[in-house]
Amino acid sequence: MQITNLNKGAINSIRPVFDGDKPKIYIETYGCQMNVNDSEVVAAIMQKAGYSVTKDIGDANLILINTCSVRDNAEQRVWGRLEYFRQEKKKRANVTVGVIGCMAERLKDKLLENNIVDIVIGPDAYRELPKLVEKTESGQKGINILLSRDETYADISPVRLDKTGVTAFISIMRGCNNVCAFCVVPYTRGSERSRNPETIIRELKELSENGYKEVTLLGQNVDSYSWNGVTFADLLAMVAESTPAMRVRFSTSHPKDMTDKVLETMAKYGNICNYIHLPVQSGSSAILQSMNRKYNREEYLQRIETIRKIIPDCAISTDIITGFCKETQEDHEDTLSLMREVGYDFAYMFKYSERPGTKAARHFKDDVPEDVKIKRLTEIIDLQSELSLASHRKDLNSIVEVLVEDTSKRSENDLCGRTPQNKMVVFPKGNHKIGDLVKVKITDCSQATLKGIAQTMFNNEEHRDTTLPDVSVNA
Ligand code: SF4
């Protein structure tokens, strides 16, 4: 499970899909990429039920908050937002507030106790949302947190909410059968089920026809994808062949399940990006065992070696949790040494926070003092900063292919986008636009960003650099 974005707060709000006299829905999304994609599914369900989508909360009849339970502070943010929604309800009559996603599943009735929330709906019950909204019209509360063994929303075309129309997510599976000791996901998202590959390819082709240039296949553990003998490697090949012009990414991989066949498929198809997010969580075999990760340090490093052998230019990122129960200084040093050995290009790093109901909460004591957790996390972040900078320095003076995703936040004269290795590149706009694939020469870097100049700029007289190969730029 990739626990990205958890500190970012609202990572996506729905933009208006169409206006008019229809009732309006506003959604705020917290948590991982799966939640972002789920919000798009919910938007599609509610559009079909007659709603239009708005990004203006003050305009909304139905306010939904899609929640994350992976860490305590993600839940605290949601409680804070609910207080804000209370004000919206006071200002206007007929505003309905719903909590959807993992927190709805975990906290159920508690969410309904505060006179703010009218609807609580878990990740497998989104089809019921129109009915529950109807129920609230007669003053009742609506709740459905049933988990399903087969719901994949395979027949629903998500309403794409990203503002640029360049990159999109496709969920290929839901739920998780692993029981990592720290993780609440198996309890909030249920058991694992894969989606029919035909529906995945249909969605992919729709995206391609609508001008999207990159897709990320999502699952809590994509390597355990399985549909009537179709493995994740098979699915990757089908996706890569179906839309050869589309960049393909995936997330999240599990070190115990990632096969050589997946790596060979990545190496075979040029449109599958050479980037793998492979969560390690800890560099200590003892801690990995108590986390129930089902691999040890040596096996993880073996996977890394195989990745490097089959895909030499593959970028690798990871998740790290520091301060898990009983973690000693030696365990912590094992994590630091593993980070150095792998040389991660990027990492998502957190201190352990106990989640009620998990295996760790039931069986272990959260016994690493808070100040020690903070100190260890600081050391891990500092080391990763060095590693990220070293990774970026290796790209200096090279030419990389960038898919332009947006205008730079710092300057409207600059564009930004990612390399296949998932590195963010910023460069002067020139004649390029969002959605272009641009060859960029890297001239500078920080630990977070590569900076460069588009090759077309070099073709202008004032920037001419005859050492650069002639590479065409696609619109
Ligand atoms: S249980 Fe483990 S594999 Fe499953 S979502 Fe949680 S961290 Fe990922």
Side-chain angles (χ1 to χ4, degrees), residues 1-3 70 175-187 189-190 192 219-221 252-257 279 281 291-293 319 321:
M1 178 199 59
Q2 184 174 347
I3 44 178
V70 170
C176 184
N177 285 351
N178 297 308
V179 191
C180 298
F182 52 82
C183 185
V184 77
V185 166
Y187 310 98
R189 286 190 163 265
E192 184 182 291
Q220 246 76 40
N221 177 8
T252 297
S253 305
H254 197 302
K256 77 176 166 59
D257 295 321
Q281 309 299 4
M291 285 177 163
N292 197 32
R293 289 290 291 175
D319 295 336
I321 296 173

